[in-house]
């Protein structure tokens, strides 16, 4: 680990903190200071980015700011009934990967404030209801989706997909527009994981996170002694059973499941580490993924997707690597006893960030984990990044020091 990078991160957190209490134009005001992903590029907080950012804030002695971030999210859940992609009015059509219960658990385990947890628990119930009423399938699993007001919006989204991917698929405009907006909710905007109908997939990462939420809620219920812990455990076990039944490809790999066709994704992606991260996989699933690590691991870390021949330009694809996915893989592998592999992933991410920092003086949104550089597949000009790049760097360093 480079002390230069660690010092850079510590000195730059403050430049990523915004204080906007009042609604202004599209920006939704928040009651507490909040963390944005990068200096000069954003005025809004992003949902799933903040989970990884908070890991870094907690490790760097900034627990108060981590708690502010979570309190701002709880405020948004209370105001809108769910946690939107970020605090912008144009993000009120969709959410992002539901990490909030895990963020609440991190803050509770730091402060041990049961009065605060009592209020947070009821906000999390609201978020859970959103996923169970707005994003649920008949098979008992959940999917990413989006809500648009009129057909013109689907046309706009389809055209935006064409602009970013560099081509127009031969599918209906409505389907493509809905697919594109759905990938925004998944956080993987855009990716070849799901063909052009992401909304028809029970995503392995989403359902793993909801399993974690159900387990977290059981822990919170037991802590609060409200008698609801078994309800949440039953929900988690039902989800686990359905996931292992529908998502296993027959070789032990857990993949996204298309509930309309009954088929699984043709592309192995880093999303398959989420069942390990959540602790719902059986040992055989972890073993199967480790046996296929060569499809996702490169010299500088974990690939977003294995190499594939999908048409178009996708930033959530080969050869790009994202900080968040290095963390999910590292924690998941460690959880199932693959500590050497977890350590190797952590070391590769540290080496990659140190190398590019020496070359550029910055951390970045994503990296090419084949070349170890910034020659990434881009759909827009890539910004320098603190956020999850910094948070995961500190988490990987902390893991290696234990």
């Amino acid at each position: 680990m480079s002390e230069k990078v660690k010092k850079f991160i510590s000195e730059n957190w403050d430049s990523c903190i915004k204080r906007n209490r009042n609604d202004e134009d599209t920006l939704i005001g928040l009651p507490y200071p909040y963390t944005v992903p990068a200096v000069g590029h954003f005025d809004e907080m992003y949902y799933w980015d903040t989970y990884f950012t908070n890991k870094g804030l907690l490790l760097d002695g900034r627990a108060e700011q981590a708690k502010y971030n979570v309190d701002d999210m709880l405020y948004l859940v209370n105001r809108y009934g769910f946690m939107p992609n970020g605090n912008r009015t144009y993000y009120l059509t969709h959410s992002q990967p539901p990490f909030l219960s895990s963020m609440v658990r991190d803050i509770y385990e730091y402060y041990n404030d049961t009065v605060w947890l009592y209020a947070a628990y009821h906000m999390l119930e609201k978020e859970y209801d959103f996923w169970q009423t707005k994003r649920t399938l008949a098979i008992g699993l959940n999917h990413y989706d989006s809500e648009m007001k009129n057909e013109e919006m689907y046309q706009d989204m389809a055209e935006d997909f064409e602009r970013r991917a560099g081509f127009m698929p031969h599918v209906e405009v409505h389907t493509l527009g809905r697919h594109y907006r759905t990938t925004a909710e998944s956080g993987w905007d855009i990716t070849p994981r799901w063909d052009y109908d992401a909304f028809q997939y029970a995503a392995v990462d989403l359902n793993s996170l909801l399993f974690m939420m159900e387990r977290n809620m059981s822990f919170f219920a037991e802590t609060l002694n409200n008698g609801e812990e078994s309800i949440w455990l039953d929900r988690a076990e039902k989800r686990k059973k359905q996931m292992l039944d529908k998502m296993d490809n027959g070789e032990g790999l857990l993949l996204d499941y298309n509930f309309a066709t009954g088929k699984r994704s043709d592309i192995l992606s880093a999303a398959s580490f989420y069942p390990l991260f959540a602790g719902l996989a059986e040992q055989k699933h972890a073993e199967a993924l480790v046996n296929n690590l060569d499809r996702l691991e490169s010299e500088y870390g974990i690939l977003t997707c294995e190499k594939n021949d999908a048409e178009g330009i996708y930033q959530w694809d080969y050869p790009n690597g994202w900080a968040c996915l290095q963390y999910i893989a590292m924690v998941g592998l460690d959880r199932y006893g693959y500590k050497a592999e977890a350590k190797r992933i952590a070391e590769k991410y540290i080496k990659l960030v140190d190398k590019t920092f020496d070359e550029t003086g910055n951390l970045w949104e994503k990296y090419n984990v084949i070349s170890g550089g910034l020659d990434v597949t881009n759909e827009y000009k890539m910004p320098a990044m603190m956020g999850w790049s910094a948070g995961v760097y500190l988490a990987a360093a902390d893991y290696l020091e234990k």
Side-chain angles (χ1 to χ4, degrees):
M1 179 187 67
S2 167
E3 288 302 319
K4 289 189 300 182
V5 175
K6 192 172 182 181
K7 182 173 183 288
F8 175 86
I9 292 171
S10 186
E11 290 178 350
N12 279 276
W13 285 124
D14 287 343
S15 63
C16 295
I17 295 172
K18 301 288 184 177
R19 293 168 176 84
N20 297 310
R21 293 178 60 87
N22 299 315
D23 295 349
E24 184 177 340
D25 192 21
T26 64
L27 187 67
I28 300 168
L30 296 174
Y32 303 100
Y34 58 91
T35 309
V36 302
V39 181
H41 289 274
F42 303 96
D43 285 318
E44 64 277 350
M45 173 174 64
Y46 285 83
Y47 184 1
W48 77 312
D49 298 55
T50 307
Y51 171 75
F52 304 94
T53 301
N54 268 13
K55 291 292 184 183
L57 289 169
L58 288 166
L59 286 168
D60 211 18
R62 292 173 176 260
E64 182 178 51
Q65 182 55 50
K67 183 175 183 296
Y68 284 157
N69 290 338
V70 175
D71 283 335
D72 282 330
M73 291 187 183
L74 294 172
Y75 164 82
L76 288 168
V77 172
N78 189 47
R79 182 171 175 178
Y80 296 108
F82 76 111
M83 177 57 207
N85 183 313
N87 58 313
R88 290 281 187 184
T89 55
Y90 49 75
Y91 287 147
L92 295 177
T93 59
H94 58 283
S95 185
Q96 272 197 327
F99 277 94
L100 183 52
S101 74
S102 293
M103 286 189 253
V104 167
R105 185 158 183 169
D106 285 345
I107 297 302
Y108 172 71
E109 290 180 344
Y110 186 90
Y111 285 103
N112 292 303
D113 184 344
T114 53
V115 174
W116 177 83
L117 182 64
Y118 176 85
Y121 180 87
H122 292 292
M123 293 306 101
L124 290 171
E125 284 182 311
K126 288 188 177 185
E127 187 189 27
Y128 187 78
D129 287 345
F130 163 80
W131 289 101
Q132 293 303 98
T133 58
K134 302 288 188 180
R135 303 290 190 266
T136 191
L137 305 170
I139 59 173
L141 297 175
N142 296 77
H143 64 135
Y144 292 116
D145 206 344
S146 187
E147 300 163 6
M148 288 183 272
K149 295 178 180 178
N150 55 59
E151 201 61 34
E152 289 182 1
M153 294 183 70
Y154 289 98
Q155 177 70 43
D156 291 343
M157 293 299 103
E159 291 174 358
D160 206 25
F161 177 94
E162 181 181 25
R163 178 185 63 79
R164 291 179 66 173
F167 79 111
M168 179 63 80
H170 297 295
V171 296
E172 292 182 356
V173 166
H174 182 98
T175 298
L176 183 60
R178 187 178 175 188
H179 164 79
Y180 176 69
R181 183 55 69 90
T182 297
T183 65
E185 182 164 270
S186 77
W188 290 50
D189 50 331
I190 53 181
T191 179
R193 260 174 77 185
W194 301 300
D195 299 320
Y196 309 113
D197 56 350
F199 52 88
Q200 296 199 124
Y201 279 86
V204 65
D205 45 357
L206 170 61
N207 284 279
S208 296
L209 291 173
L210 289 172
F211 171 87
M212 287 184 77
M213 184 177 188
E214 289 156 349
R215 294 297 297 264
N216 285 335
M217 292 296 278
S218 178
F219 168 76
F220 299 151
E222 183 177 10
T223 301
L224 296 169
N225 195 28
N226 66 13
E228 296 179 353
E229 57 269 30
S230 62
I231 296 172
W232 292 105
L233 280 180
D234 287 346
R235 290 169 176 168
E237 287 306 304
K238 287 177 182 177
R239 183 181 303 278
K240 174 180 175 178
K241 184 177 184 301
Q242 279 291 79
M243 288 181 68
L244 299 187
D245 179 55
K246 301 295 186 186
M247 295 179 176
D248 191 322
N249 72 342
E251 299 175 0
L253 295 174
L254 298 174
L255 305 171
D256 304 309
Y257 174 76
N258 189 318
F259 64 91
T261 65
K263 296 180 179 179
R264 296 166 194 87
S265 176
D266 294 327
I267 296 174
L268 178 63
S269 77
S272 289
F273 286 103
Y274 273 79
L276 279 64
F277 175 71
L280 69 88
E282 295 175 354
Q283 196 64 37
K284 66 178 181 180
H285 301 116
E287 182 180 353
L289 190 54
V290 169
N291 288 340
N292 283 274
L293 259 183
D294 60 331
R295 295 165 64 181
L296 289 173
E297 186 181 357
S298 66
E299 183 177 351
Y300 288 95
I302 294 296
L303 293 153
T304 305
C305 293
E306 65 180 332
K307 192 171 185 178
N308 60 80
D309 58 2
E311 183 180 2
I313 300 166
Y314 304 94
Q315 64 174 358
W316 287 85
D317 193 12
Y318 181 99
N320 292 356
W322 296 77
C324 52
L325 300 179
Q326 314 307 307
Y327 182 85
I328 297 297
M330 177 184 75
V331 173
L333 289 166
D334 177 81
R335 185 166 193 163
Y336 281 79
Y338 293 100
K339 296 186 181 298
E341 290 80 359
K343 180 181 178 183
R344 190 169 69 237
I345 300 306
E347 289 172 339
K348 287 182 175 186
Y349 183 68
I350 294 289
K351 180 175 74 169
L352 173 61
V353 174
D354 286 350
K355 173 181 178 293
T356 54
F357 185 83
D358 285 342
E359 294 167 353
T360 67
N362 264 311
L363 279 66
W364 296 89
E365 183 193 51
K366 54 187 177 286
Y367 299 89
N368 183 322
V369 293
I370 297 292
S371 70
L374 302 179
D375 50 328
V376 293
T377 301
N378 262 339
E379 300 162 17
Y380 50 74
K381 186 178 179 180
M382 180 174 67
M385 182 71 69
M386 276 281 289
W388 57 20
S389 298
V392 172
Y393 185 90
L394 294 180
D398 180 69
Y399 179 75
L400 294 173
E401 289 169 0
K402 290 180 178 176

